[in-house]
Amino acid sequence: MAYESLREWIKALDKAGELKRVTAEVSPILEMAEIADRASKSGKGTAKAGGPALLFENITGYPGAKVLMNQFGSTRRMQMALEVDSLDDVAKRIDVLIHPVAPVGMFDKLKMLPMLAEVGGYFPKTIAAKNASCKEVILRGDDVDVLKFPVLQTWPEDGGRYITLPCVTTRDPKSGKRNLGMYRMQVYDGQSTGMHWQRQKVAAEHARDRMRAAADDAAGQVEVMAMTAGGTAAAGSHSMPQHVVTKIRGERMEVAVVIGTDPATTFSAIVPAPPEVEEYIIAGFLRQKAVELVKCETVDLDVPAHAEIVLEGYVELGELRTEGPFGDHTGFYTMQDEYPVFHITCITHRKDPIYAATVVGKPPMEDTWMIKAVERVFLPLMKLTIPEIIDINLPAEGVAHNLMIVSIRKSYAGHARKVMHAIWGLGQAMFTKCIVVVDEDCDVQDVSEVMLRAGNNIDPERDIQFTLGPVDTLDHASRLPNFGSKMGIDATRKWPAEGFTRQWPSMLTMSKDVKAKMDAVWKKLGIE
């Protein structure tokens, strides 16, 4: 059964022994983050790696408030969140959907009906406001104050408090489709926050589309496009010229921010889904039940009906404000930059709302397990475009975009380089700074084995590919913001067709007969 809300999820965590209630008084300024960081790094190399989920119940300055952290911070909890025994089980369900067996006769067609009915049940449905838990308290006007909630500061040099686990809803101005993304939000005051949607994110594109539409003539549209192409306005590094701002100022883009949903919905906000697919449908697929939505009070958007907290408001096009620094998942601070401002017009929430948060920093942390889930769940979609891929690994230290290890079924000369470029052309994978490609008989999840292959199989001058292209906004080492170099390493066996004329040696392996014989007597030897 799908979890209807964050509260049902917390009950499940508690019942499974995965939740630790923190009753000692703790401050949301740095202290809670330090506890969560220590918990997430505990148990390394054991079945308890990642520590427990944490429910803080005694928060300095916020009597009666509760904060949930590290809810996704282990393999077991990610499996519980998606209600599977293995994350590969979700991948298998996706594989069945994208590779259906063509029906031969009427009987085969009838067998497909239940699957089609199941898919139809993934689409979100809207319910009446009176049945929506998130509408138990509605705040407008002077009552709007996001600092009534225990918003965290997670690192000493952060620019302030940040909402770190928000599900941000926007709407495509052209198609009308909803998008659910996760972008950190620096709290400036009770009614306004930053909106850190990087220029390559879908919500930033929505903002740019609104800007272009708001420009009152063709020349104005060209100016807006030229400015936003450099990274400004929606996720920029420079202020827009006043004459461009004048053309679009006063126009608003509606935004709704949800804090504290059922786990599948929160997870769907981080998945690298195609813009054409609404994240609420992905959430429905993951939880195998439609997400119930409700209309907002002051904006024309829909939000999860049983969320803990909903912030409604708008971004004024062209308005930018300094955001940062922020201690990020790279293990370094993201420095100050100019980003849009989110103005809050209404807050709705459940009675005694539970605030959901996370802390990011040097891995392993909670997001490490979320990234690993993305890796496993969406491998079939990568294979759909690049079928020669056998497996991928996004090591924790690679912080999602710095390193991807890929095994392939090599079929021709230059195949590894073809795969590198295909990955760099695949959605958010375009940000991958380093790609290591190995043969199909290499277990990419065994980093020691990968290092052995890479160290032995490459001639650096011949097998390392450099290219230029878009890089993650958080990459502080790139030559320019959002643009830099990337590297691919071909660690596959080299073929004569690739100019390798020497004999390629075999890897060491014991004969099967000897291994089987030793397996049979191993315990008797008393070696371990």
Side-chain angles (χ1 to χ4, degrees):
M1 294 294 293
Y3 307 107
E4 286 294 341
S5 65
L6 185 72
R7 299 184 183 206
E8 284 195 8
W9 170 228
I10 290 173
K11 288 180 181 177
L13 292 172
D14 203 6
K15 184 177 180 180
E18 288 287 329
L19 184 73
K20 171 65 178 178
R21 296 177 183 272
V22 182
T23 57
E25 183 177 345
V26 182
S27 171
I29 308 301
L30 303 180
E31 293 180 358
M32 292 169 64
E34 172 64 10
I35 292 172
D37 186 19
R38 292 189 186 195
S40 66
K41 290 178 170 58
S42 66
K44 190 174 181 179
T46 72
K48 294 184 178 181
L54 303 170
L55 187 64
F56 294 92
E57 298 181 321
N58 187 0
I59 302 166
T60 303
Y62 295 88
K66 295 180 180 180
V67 175
L68 179 67
M69 299 185 73
N70 205 33
Q71 60 176 298
F72 298 111
S74 71
T75 297
R76 186 187 183 200
R77 288 201 294 284
M78 278 305 321
Q79 292 169 347
M80 288 178 61
L82 303 181
E83 299 178 89
V84 292
D85 295 326
S86 168
L87 295 174
D88 288 327
D89 292 343
V90 183
K92 291 174 184 176
R93 288 179 54 218
I94 294 175
D95 199 48
V96 169
L97 282 179
I98 61 180
H99 294 106
V101 178
V104 177
M106 181 58 68
F107 183 68
D108 287 339
K109 292 179 181 179
L110 290 173
K111 286 197 298 183
M112 290 187 70
L113 291 178
M115 184 179 75
L116 296 175
E118 179 186 352
V119 172
Y122 301 153
F123 288 79
K125 60 181 181 180
T126 303
I127 67 172
K130 65 180 180 180
N131 297 322
S133 307
C134 70
K135 302 281 189 180
E136 290 176 346
V137 178
I138 300 176
L139 304 173
R140 301 172 184 262
D142 293 339
D143 292 329
V144 170
D145 184 0
V146 72
L147 288 172
K148 290 181 178 178
F149 307 110
V151 182
L152 277 63
Q153 179 180 344
T154 54
W155 295 103
E157 296 179 30
D158 283 355
R161 298 190 184 196
Y162 281 82
I163 299 172
T164 54
L165 206 63
C167 297
V168 180
T169 297
T170 58
R171 190 184 298 277
D172 188 321
K174 294 180 291 187
S175 68
K177 289 184 178 179
R178 294 165 294 213
N179 180 72
L180 195 65
M182 188 170 289
Y183 322 108
R184 72 178 191 238
M185 299 165 59
Q186 181 178 347
V187 175
Y188 297 131
D189 53 49
Q191 295 77 41
S192 65
T193 77
M195 188 59 77
H196 191 272
W197 49 46
Q198 300 161 25
R199 69 158 285 101
Q200 301 93 346
K201 302 298 184 181
V202 175
E205 182 63 23
H206 290 175
R208 286 192 293 272
D209 285 340
R210 289 295 303 270
M211 289 181 198
R212 289 190 282 263
D216 56 7
D217 55 35
Q221 292 182 28
V222 170
E223 288 174 322
V224 169
M225 290 174 69
M227 290 304 303
T228 58
T232 58
S237 55
H238 306 286
S239 297
M240 295 182 69
Q242 188 57 46
H243 70 278
V244 177
V245 173
T246 301
K247 290 180 181 294
I248 59 178
R249 257 296 169 75
E251 293 288 332
R252 295 176 175 180
M253 186 175 87
E254 295 182 331
V255 180
V257 177
V258 183
I259 303 169
T261 74
D262 68 275
T265 299
T266 297
F267 178 69
S268 71
I270 73 163
V271 300
E276 296 78 16
V277 181
E278 286 193 358
E279 283 77 10
Y280 288 127
I281 298 175
I282 294 173
F285 169 80
L286 292 173
R287 65 204 298 270
Q288 299 189 68
K289 184 178 180 182
V291 177
E292 291 187 338
L293 303 177
V294 67
K295 293 289 184 183
C296 287
E297 298 291 313
T298 60
V299 295
D300 185 22
L301 291 169
D302 310 296
V303 293
H306 306 299
E308 295 293 319
I309 302 166
V310 178
L311 312 178
E312 302 177 10
Y314 64 89
V315 166
E316 184 174 314
L317 303 184
E319 180 188 11
L320 301 174
R321 184 168 173 177
T322 300
E323 191 266 4
F326 177 72
D328 228 315
H329 76 113
T330 60
F332 294 84
Y333 284 96
T334 302
M335 303 315 294
Q336 291 183 329
D337 209 337
E338 301 294 301
Y339 278 88
V341 180
F342 174 58
H343 298 274
I344 306 171
T345 56
C346 178
I347 297 177
T348 71
H349 63 81
R350 298 181 68 146
K351 294 177 181 177
D352 301 319
I354 300 171
Y355 184 81
T358 191
V359 55
V360 293
K362 295 179 183 178
M365 303 195 79
E366 181 176 10
D367 60 327
T368 296
W369 308 97
M370 299 170 77
I371 292 167
K372 183 58 67 172
V374 169
E375 169 201 300
R376 304 323 303 163
V377 169
F378 286 89
L379 178 59
L381 297 179
M382 288 190 70
K383 289 184 176 182
L384 186 65
T385 304
I386 317 172
E388 54 267 59
I389 287 180
I390 301 299
D391 198 5
I392 65 170
N393 180 15
L394 298 173
E397 295 78 10
V399 295
H401 62 265
N402 282 342
L403 176 62
M404 180 187 294
I405 304 169
V406 187
S407 58
I408 65 167
R409 184 174 292 109
K410 186 173 178 176
S411 301
Y412 47 81
H415 202 161
R417 293 176 187 251
K418 178 264 185 185
V419 170
M420 296 171 197
H421 288 284
I423 292 171
W424 285 323
L426 193 63
Q428 297 296 307
M430 66 179 169
F431 299 131
T432 309
K433 186 187 290 191
C434 301
I435 299 174
V436 179
V437 184
V438 294
D439 289 298
E440 62 183 297
D441 61 348
C442 180
D443 179 4
V444 296
Q445 306 302 327
D446 184 346
V447 177
S448 294
E449 174 73 7
V450 172
M451 290 296 293
L452 182 71
R453 301 276 188 125
N456 280 285
N457 285 4
I458 68 167
D459 176 284
E461 183 181 30
R462 180 194 63 202
D463 296 329
I464 296 179
Q465 169 82 55
F466 293 101
T467 189
L468 292 171
V471 297
D472 195 283
T473 300
L474 305 183
D475 187 345
H476 62 265
S478 61
R479 63 198 67 192
L480 293 169
N482 303 303
F483 181 78
S485 65
K486 289 172 273 194
M487 178 176 69
I489 300 175
D490 178 1
T492 63
R493 299 178 184 89
K494 301 306 175 295
W495 292 8
E498 294 172 307
F500 188 82
T501 57
R502 301 169 60 196
Q503 182 179 358
W504 195 271
S506 301
M507 288 194 72
L508 304 180
T509 181
M510 185 53 68
S511 68
K512 293 182 179 179
D513 291 344
V514 172
K515 288 175 71 69
K517 183 176 181 180
M518 292 304 101
D519 285 344
V521 302
W522 185 252
K523 290 184 178 180
K524 297 178 182 179
L525 298 177
I527 295 175
E528 64 175 29

